[in-house]
């Protein structure tokens, strides 16, 4: 691994703390990793962009998938996952997920998470798209993520883990040998620390969540600006499969001008029997797939978009009036409240829905132990690409992946420290370069990026739309670069400019990968390449950032998920 030498323009750290491990993110993946590291005797610091209980996990409605029901098996869960992944899942990664998943969920329950149970005291399981069995455990009806977040946050506070809240991570620190030495970060507002500082640690776990804010309409919270992926790229790490962005089929339609986070209508609503209908009340999923409304998400999203095109409509409808008031109030109280807050009563009328950006199946490339191509840097959860999701994530596998791979990361870090002797290595970061290597964008660029990405790289893509998006993003990149190179000027450092710069970085990578993949597969839908091409494209696209800030885009030789050893590089195209 060769470091790019690229870092964000930011003030020098004014304070520093040290630890064995720094975990960046406070969702299910981050807090699970932190708790397991602390239990292994490692000094652990949790850094989170908002409050500790404000990670993306708490927005998860549907549940967590695992073979916990009578008659279900890990093998059946594996098969459903491989089918949804459209030929690009790493089978060994999936096998790890489905075999270790049930016990991981049980440990989560032991940590304090309370899932809904039947009158007999058994887990109440439901189905979602792509699953042939009822294997989705849920809490509070449709508040699973909030319950998991509550339990993990309480456990972190009870164990007294050191946390730094309201902190945007900036860049990875490395030592003279190129190994991880911690992170720089900016703490917003009052607290124990303020302004730019550093956490020095020989192990960094990225659990920063997604990058949905790169699109105008998304189910992701405003903090999901791809910070972890951008940091990893600047540090020299490889990212993979970023073209596979899952657009959730059923997001509450708030109008064509709506921007930012949109209310999700969980797939569990369809799992309980809701129907997708057009403006005339006609069901259009029947006959399109054996599972109808419960087909994998890419199939449902495409069917919705096709129907919208055919009828020149802005949205379709989800009809669950037959549930009745009692079921809505007890099974889906969160969704019911969100609909009513926006003037829709699903008890008496169909819900207007349309696809919106939801989940990044790709991310920072890792191995089965969560290790990236940068020594000492780990990644788990949505920021990572473990090979589990392939070209399309199976519903409710994300929380499980966060659990399972966070535990594996903690085990690897603990084993590494045990070999060196606990607390033995105090990393010495290489000093910041005198001149910042990465220009910053003005805050208003965020909205320009979102419009470019939505129009050019949304649900429907083509060479024409992607080329236009690439040109527009390159123009933004070049203008900021040229200003810095010519006169040293860049936008004022701050949260808004750092986030906009990170969004541009991940947007450029996503578009480059989507242009290269000239086929339709999973949640990557090319209008000009309608078919799936296994001969040419049953392989992964890997991207690195070059020291001159250009992108190195290549493919793997096969569909096998490559190792993260630095001597294994994709062949350039």
């Amino acid at each position: 691994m060769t470091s790019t030498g690229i870092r964000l323009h930011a003030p020098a750290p004014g304070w520093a703390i040290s630890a064995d491990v720094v975990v960046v993110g406070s969702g299910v993946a981050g807090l699970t990793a932190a708790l397991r590291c602390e239990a292994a005797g490692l000094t652990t610091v949790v850094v989170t962009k908002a409050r500790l209980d404000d990670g993306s996990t708490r927005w998860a409605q549907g549940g967590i998938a695992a073979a916990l029901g009578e008659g279900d098996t890990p093998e059946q869960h594996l098969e459903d996952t491989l089918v949804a992944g459209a030929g690009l899942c790493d089978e060994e990664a999936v096998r790890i997920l489905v075999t270790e998943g049930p016990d991981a969920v049980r440990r989560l329950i032991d940590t304090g998470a309370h899932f809904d149970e039947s009158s007999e005291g058994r887990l109440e399981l439901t189905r979602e798209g792509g699953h042939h069995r009822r294997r989705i455990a849920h809490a509070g009806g449709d508040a699973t993520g909030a319950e998991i977040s509550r339990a993990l946050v309480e456990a972190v506070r009870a164990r007294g883990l050191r946390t730094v809240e309201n902190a945007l991570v900036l860049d990875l620190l490395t030592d003279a040998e190129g190994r991880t030495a911690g992170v720089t970060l900016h703490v917003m507002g009052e607290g124990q620390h303020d302004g730019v500082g550093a956490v020095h640690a020989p192990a960094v776990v990225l659990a920063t969540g997604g990058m949905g804010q790169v699109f105008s309409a998304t189910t992701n919270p405003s903090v999901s600006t791809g910070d972890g992926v951008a940091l990893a790229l600047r540090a020299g790490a490889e990212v993979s499969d970023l073209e596979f962005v899952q657009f959730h089929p059923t997001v509450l339609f708030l109008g064509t001008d709506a921007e930012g986070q949109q209310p999700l209508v969980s797939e569990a609503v369809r799992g309980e029997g809701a129907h997708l209908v057009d403006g005339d009340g006609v069901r259009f999923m029947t006959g399109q797939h054996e599972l109808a409304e419960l087909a994998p998400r890419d199939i449902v999203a495409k069917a919705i978009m096709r129907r919208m095109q055919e009828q020149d409509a802005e949205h379709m409808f989800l009809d669950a009036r037959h549930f009745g008031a009692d079921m809505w109030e007890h099974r889906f109280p969160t969704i019911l409240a969100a609909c009513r807050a926006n003037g829709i009563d699903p008890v008496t009328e169909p819900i207007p829905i349309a696809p919106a950006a939801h989940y990044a199946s790709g991310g920072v490339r890792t191995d089965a132990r969560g290790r990236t191509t940068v020594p000492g840097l780990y990644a788990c959860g949505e920021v990572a690409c473990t090979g589990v999701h392939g070209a399309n994530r199976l519903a409710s596998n994300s929380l499980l992946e966060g659990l399972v791979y966070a535990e594996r990361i903690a085990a690897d870090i603990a084993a590494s420290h045990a070999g060196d002797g606990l607390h033995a290595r105090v990393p010495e970061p290489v000093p910041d370069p005198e001149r910042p290597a990465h220009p910053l964008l003005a805050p208003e660029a965020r909205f320009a990026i979102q419009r470019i990405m939505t129009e050019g790289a949304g649900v429907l893509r083509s060479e024409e739309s992607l080329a236009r998006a690439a040109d527009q993003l390159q123009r933004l990149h070049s203008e900021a670069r040229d200003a810095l190179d010519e006169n040293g000027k860049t936008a004022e450092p701050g949260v808004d400019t750092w986030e906009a710069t990170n969004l541009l970085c991940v947007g450029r990578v996503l578009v480059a990968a989507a242009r290269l993949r000239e086929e339709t597969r999973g949640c990557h839908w090319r209008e000009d390449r309608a078919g799936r091409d296994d001969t040419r494209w049953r392989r992964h696209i890997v991207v690195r950032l070059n020291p001159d800030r250009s992108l190195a885009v290549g493919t793997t030789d096969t569909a096998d998920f490559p190792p993260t050893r630095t001597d294994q590089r994709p062949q350039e195209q």
Side-chain angles (χ1 to χ4, degrees), residues 196-222:
V196 174
V199 181
H200 296 159
V204 171
V205 180
L206 292 179
T208 52
M211 55 183 193
Q213 288 291 325
V214 78
F215 294 98
S216 297
T218 177
T219 62
N220 290 193
S222 61

Side-chain angles (χ1 to χ4, degrees), residues 162-302:
R162 187 167 189 173
T163 61
V164 183
E165 297 181 288
N166 300 307
L168 171 64
V169 68
L170 299 176
D171 281 304
L172 189 75
L173 295 172
T174 54
D175 64 15
E177 298 175 352
R179 291 188 56 86
T180 293
V183 292
T184 55
L185 62 155
H186 173 78
V187 180
M188 302 165 269
E190 297 179 1
Q192 191 175 11
H193 304 285
D194 198 10
V196 174
V199 181
H200 296 159
V204 171
V205 180
L206 292 179
T208 52
M211 55 183 193
Q213 288 291 325
V214 78
F215 294 98
S216 297
T218 177
T219 62
N220 290 193
S222 61
V223 295
S224 297
T225 50
D227 308 319
V229 172
L231 174 150
L233 282 162
R234 288 193 296 272
E238 295 176 352
V239 302
S240 184
D241 299 354
L242 222 63
E243 69 272 28
F244 296 118
V245 176
Q246 188 177 80
F247 287 78
H248 198 289
T250 54
V251 176
L252 185 62
F253 180 75
L254 300 180
T256 55
D257 296 328
E259 293 185 338
Q261 187 178 11
Q262 314 284 304
L264 175 67
V265 182
S266 169
E267 195 150 324
V269 178
R270 281 176 282 139
E272 296 293 351
H275 302 145
L276 283 165
V277 298
D278 60 21
D280 297 322
V282 177
R283 288 181 66 182
F284 55 86
M285 284 305 301
T286 305
Q288 296 219 22
H289 190 276
E290 60 167 333
L291 296 175
E293 278 90 356
L294 286 177
R297 288 177 177 175
D298 63 304
I299 294 172
V300 179
K302 291 171 188 174

